[in-house]
Tab-separated table of all heavy atoms in Angstrom:
chain	number	residue	atom	x	y	z
A	745	ILE	N	-39.759	-41.390	-10.352
A	745	ILE	CA	-39.133	-40.148	-10.034
A	745	ILE	C	-38.682	-39.448	-11.304
A	745	ILE	O	-38.453	-40.068	-12.319
A	745	ILE	CB	-37.872	-40.315	-9.096
A	745	ILE	CG1	-36.812	-41.111	-9.820
A	745	ILE	CG2	-38.274	-40.938	-7.767
A	745	ILE	CD1	-35.461	-41.140	-9.084
A	746	GLU	N	-38.667	-38.122	-11.202
A	746	GLU	CA	-38.117	-37.309	-12.320
A	746	GLU	C	-36.696	-36.910	-12.026
A	746	GLU	O	-36.367	-36.472	-10.939
A	746	GLU	CB	-38.957	-36.074	-12.548
A	746	GLU	CG	-38.483	-35.229	-13.761
A	746	GLU	CD	-39.262	-33.957	-13.950
A	746	GLU	OE1	-40.059	-33.579	-13.041
A	746	GLU	OE2	-39.107	-33.299	-14.991
A	747	ILE	N	-35.830	-37.084	-13.021
A	747	ILE	CA	-34.421	-36.765	-12.845
A	747	ILE	C	-34.239	-35.237	-12.878
A	747	ILE	O	-34.708	-34.565	-13.801
A	747	ILE	CB	-33.567	-37.420	-13.962
A	747	ILE	CG1	-33.760	-38.923	-13.936
A	747	ILE	CG2	-32.115	-37.085	-13.778
A	747	ILE	CD1	-33.370	-39.576	-12.635
A	748	HIS	N	-33.565	-34.718	-11.875
A	748	HIS	CA	-33.195	-33.305	-11.826
A	748	HIS	C	-31.675	-33.180	-11.981
A	748	HIS	O	-30.918	-33.936	-11.322
A	748	HIS	CB	-33.562	-32.671	-10.483
A	748	HIS	CG	-35.022	-32.388	-10.424
A	748	HIS	ND1	-35.993	-33.380	-10.351
A	748	HIS	CD2	-35.721	-31.214	-10.355
A	748	HIS	CE1	-37.220	-32.836	-10.242
A	748	HIS	NE2	-37.086	-31.520	-10.246
A	749	GLU	N	-31.232	-32.354	-12.897
A	749	GLU	CA	-29.799	-32.092	-13.102
A	749	GLU	C	-29.403	-30.761	-12.457
A	749	GLU	O	-30.195	-29.813	-12.441
A	749	GLU	CB	-29.523	-32.041	-14.614
A	749	GLU	CG	-29.702	-33.362	-15.349
A	749	GLU	CD	-28.561	-34.336	-15.094
A	749	GLU	OE1	-27.546	-33.908	-14.442
A	749	GLU	OE2	-28.643	-35.478	-15.554
A	750	PRO	N	-28.166	-30.713	-11.908
A	750	PRO	CA	-27.712	-29.433	-11.378
A	750	PRO	C	-27.649	-28.377	-12.458
A	750	PRO	O	-27.349	-28.646	-13.590
A	750	PRO	CB	-26.340	-29.768	-10.798
A	750	PRO	CG	-26.288	-31.258	-10.684
A	750	PRO	CD	-27.223	-31.802	-11.738
A	751	ILE	N	-27.972	-27.110	-12.046
A	751	ILE	CA	-27.889	-26.044	-13.010
A	751	ILE	C	-26.417	-25.727	-13.287
A	751	ILE	O	-25.541	-26.126	-12.603
A	751	ILE	CB	-28.635	-24.806	-12.492
A	751	ILE	CG1	-28.035	-24.302	-11.181
A	751	ILE	CG2	-30.114	-25.066	-12.328
A	751	ILE	CD1	-28.668	-23.068	-10.633
A	752	SER	N	-26.214	-24.960	-14.355
A	752	SER	CA	-24.834	-24.593	-14.745
A	752	SER	C	-24.183	-23.701	-13.736
A	752	SER	O	-24.828	-23.043	-12.928
A	752	SER	CB	-24.850	-23.971	-16.128
A	752	SER	OG	-25.480	-22.717	-16.087
A	753	VAL	N	-22.843	-23.655	-13.790
A	753	VAL	CA	-22.105	-22.809	-12.881
A	753	VAL	C	-22.445	-21.351	-13.110
A	753	VAL	O	-22.559	-20.573	-12.170
A	753	VAL	CB	-20.565	-23.049	-13.064
A	753	VAL	CG1	-19.772	-22.069	-12.234
A	753	VAL	CG2	-20.210	-24.513	-12.715
A	754	ALA	N	-22.606	-20.996	-14.371
A	754	ALA	CA	-22.932	-19.582	-14.704
A	754	ALA	C	-24.284	-19.168	-14.156
A	754	ALA	O	-24.448	-18.103	-13.568
A	754	ALA	CB	-22.927	-19.372	-16.219
A	755	GLU	N	-25.257	-20.060	-14.277
A	755	GLU	CA	-26.594	-19.701	-13.770
A	755	GLU	C	-26.616	-19.660	-12.240
A	755	GLU	O	-27.274	-18.845	-11.622
A	755	GLU	CB	-27.632	-20.748	-14.277
A	755	GLU	CG	-29.080	-20.362	-13.969
A	755	GLU	CD	-30.120	-21.281	-14.559
A	755	GLU	OE1	-29.670	-22.276	-15.218
A	755	GLU	OE2	-31.298	-21.030	-14.461
A	756	ALA	N	-25.857	-20.599	-11.642
A	756	ALA	CA	-25.800	-20.603	-10.177
A	756	ALA	C	-25.153	-19.342	-9.641
A	756	ALA	O	-25.589	-18.763	-8.676
A	756	ALA	CB	-25.036	-21.858	-9.677
A	757	ALA	N	-24.082	-18.896	-10.316
A	757	ALA	CA	-23.399	-17.682	-9.899
A	757	ALA	C	-24.324	-16.460	-10.044
A	757	ALA	O	-24.325	-15.529	-9.217
A	757	ALA	CB	-22.123	-17.448	-10.733
A	758	MET	N	-25.138	-16.487	-11.109
A	758	MET	CA	-26.029	-15.349	-11.327
A	758	MET	C	-27.114	-15.326	-10.225
A	758	MET	O	-27.424	-14.214	-9.696
A	758	MET	CB	-26.711	-15.483	-12.699
A	758	MET	CG	-27.693	-14.382	-13.045
A	758	MET	SD	-28.262	-14.537	-14.725
A	758	MET	CE	-29.073	-16.175	-14.679
A	759	ILE	N	-27.650	-16.469	-9.831
A	759	ILE	CA	-28.641	-16.491	-8.798
A	759	ILE	C	-28.048	-16.161	-7.429
A	759	ILE	O	-28.647	-15.433	-6.631
A	759	ILE	CB	-29.314	-17.893	-8.744
A	759	ILE	CG1	-30.047	-18.190	-10.036
A	759	ILE	CG2	-30.278	-17.995	-7.546
A	759	ILE	CD1	-30.628	-19.575	-10.159
A	760	LEU	N	-26.813	-16.694	-7.149
A	760	LEU	CA	-26.206	-16.398	-5.862
A	760	LEU	C	-25.660	-14.963	-5.786
A	760	LEU	O	-25.223	-14.531	-4.708
A	760	LEU	CB	-25.044	-17.369	-5.676
A	760	LEU	CG	-25.434	-18.820	-5.408
A	760	LEU	CD1	-24.245	-19.742	-5.414
A	760	LEU	CD2	-26.193	-18.951	-4.070
A	761	GLY	N	-25.703	-14.210	-6.889
A	761	GLY	CA	-25.300	-12.805	-6.858
A	761	GLY	C	-26.242	-11.914	-6.107
A	761	GLY	O	-25.956	-10.749	-5.872
A	762	LYS	N	-27.426	-12.471	-5.737
A	762	LYS	CA	-28.415	-11.682	-4.993
A	762	LYS	C	-27.925	-11.433	-3.569
A	762	LYS	O	-27.436	-12.331	-2.908
A	762	LYS	CB	-29.745	-12.446	-4.932
A	762	LYS	CG	-30.815	-11.808	-4.106
A	762	LYS	CD	-32.091	-12.619	-4.197
A	762	LYS	CE	-33.200	-11.996	-3.380
A	762	LYS	NZ	-33.015	-12.248	-1.914
A	763	SER	N	-28.018	-10.166	-3.153
A	763	SER	CA	-27.582	-9.795	-1.790
A	763	SER	C	-28.828	-9.484	-0.963
A	763	SER	O	-29.679	-8.681	-1.345
A	763	SER	CB	-26.627	-8.592	-1.815
A	763	SER	OG	-27.263	-7.500	-2.428
A	764	ASP	N	-28.948	-10.096	0.175
A	764	ASP	CA	-30.060	-9.909	1.090
A	764	ASP	C	-29.693	-8.835	2.093
A	764	ASP	O	-28.802	-9.071	2.961
A	764	ASP	CB	-30.458	-11.191	1.781
A	764	ASP	CG	-30.978	-12.258	0.798
A	764	ASP	OD1	-31.708	-11.847	-0.099
A	764	ASP	OD2	-30.623	-13.417	0.939
A	765	VAL	N	-30.363	-7.712	2.053
A	765	VAL	CA	-30.056	-6.594	2.966
A	765	VAL	C	-31.182	-6.521	4.023
A	765	VAL	O	-32.357	-6.478	3.681
A	765	VAL	CB	-29.978	-5.235	2.217
A	765	VAL	CG1	-29.659	-4.123	3.129
A	765	VAL	CG2	-28.985	-5.363	1.088
A	766	PRO	N	-30.838	-6.544	5.311
A	766	PRO	CA	-31.896	-6.479	6.323
A	766	PRO	C	-32.498	-5.087	6.386
A	766	PRO	O	-31.839	-4.086	6.083
A	766	PRO	CB	-31.151	-6.835	7.599
A	766	PRO	CG	-29.736	-6.433	7.330
A	766	PRO	CD	-29.504	-6.703	5.858
A	767	ALA	N	-33.739	-5.043	6.795
A	767	ALA	CA	-34.418	-3.768	6.981
A	767	ALA	C	-33.839	-3.034	8.185
A	767	ALA	O	-33.285	-3.624	9.113
A	767	ALA	CB	-35.915	-3.977	7.143
A	768	LEU	N	-33.952	-1.704	8.170
A	768	LEU	CA	-33.453	-0.906	9.305
A	768	LEU	C	-34.324	-1.187	10.548
A	768	LEU	O	-35.505	-1.365	10.490
A	768	LEU	CB	-33.545	0.575	8.964
A	768	LEU	CG	-32.691	1.080	7.762
A	768	LEU	CD1	-32.927	2.525	7.496
A	768	LEU	CD2	-31.207	0.789	8.063
A	769	ALA	N	-33.641	-1.293	11.669
A	769	ALA	CA	-34.317	-1.504	12.961
A	769	ALA	C	-34.977	-0.241	13.477
A	769	ALA	O	-34.554	0.900	13.151
A	769	ALA	CB	-33.341	-2.000	13.946
A	770	LEU	N	-36.053	-0.406	14.199
A	770	LEU	CA	-36.720	0.755	14.826
A	770	LEU	C	-35.815	1.399	15.839
A	770	LEU	O	-35.206	0.727	16.648
A	770	LEU	CB	-38.038	0.301	15.475
A	770	LEU	CG	-39.229	0.018	14.594
A	770	LEU	CD1	-40.364	-0.618	15.390
A	770	LEU	CD2	-39.677	1.293	13.866
A	771	PRO	N	-35.656	2.736	15.782
A	771	PRO	CA	-34.737	3.376	16.752
A	771	PRO	C	-35.347	3.502	18.135
A	771	PRO	O	-36.584	3.517	18.284
A	771	PRO	CB	-34.566	4.774	16.070
A	771	PRO	CG	-35.877	5.015	15.396
A	771	PRO	CD	-36.360	3.647	14.890
A	772	PRO	N	-34.503	3.595	19.138
A	772	PRO	CA	-35.053	3.789	20.490
A	772	PRO	C	-35.559	5.209	20.671
A	772	PRO	O	-34.996	6.170	20.104
A	772	PRO	CB	-33.819	3.523	21.399
A	772	PRO	CG	-32.646	3.854	20.491
A	772	PRO	CD	-33.057	3.446	19.111
A	773	VAL	N	-36.590	5.327	21.434
A	773	VAL	CA	-37.166	6.643	21.693
A	773	VAL	C	-36.224	7.475	22.591
A	773	VAL	O	-36.089	8.704	22.416
A	773	VAL	CB	-38.569	6.521	22.295
A	773	VAL	CG1	-39.152	7.905	22.582
A	773	VAL	CG2	-39.496	5.709	21.410
A	774	VAL	N	-35.617	6.820	23.580
A	774	VAL	CA	-34.648	7.455	24.461
A	774	VAL	C	-33.335	6.673	24.448
A	774	VAL	O	-33.353	5.468	24.146
A	774	VAL	CB	-35.189	7.565	25.897
A	774	VAL	CG1	-36.429	8.465	25.944
A	774	VAL	CG2	-35.567	6.173	26.460
A	775	ASP	N	-32.223	7.305	24.727
A	775	ASP	CA	-30.951	6.617	24.746
A	775	ASP	C	-30.716	6.016	26.100
A	775	ASP	O	-31.627	5.984	26.992
A	775	ASP	CB	-29.837	7.598	24.393
A	775	ASP	CG	-29.761	8.782	25.299
A	775	ASP	OD1	-30.337	8.711	26.392
A	775	ASP	OD2	-29.077	9.787	24.937
A	776	GLU	N	-29.525	5.501	26.379
A	776	GLU	CA	-29.203	4.819	27.622
A	776	GLU	C	-29.280	5.712	28.845
A	776	GLU	O	-29.546	5.255	29.977
A	776	GLU	CB	-27.801	4.186	27.524
A	776	GLU	CG	-27.683	3.113	26.459
A	776	GLU	CD	-26.267	2.603	26.352
A	776	GLU	OE1	-25.407	3.165	27.012
A	776	GLU	OE2	-26.018	1.613	25.613
Side-chain angles (χ1 to χ4, degrees):
I745 63 171
E746 181 182 12
I747 302 300
H748 284 68
E749 293 283 355
I751 59 177
S752 65
V753 175
E755 189 174 4
M758 181 173 59
I759 297 174
L760 290 172
K762 176 177 180 286
S763 58
D764 295 319
V765 182
L768 297 176
L770 283 172
V773 179
V774 294
D775 58 16
E776 296 177 353

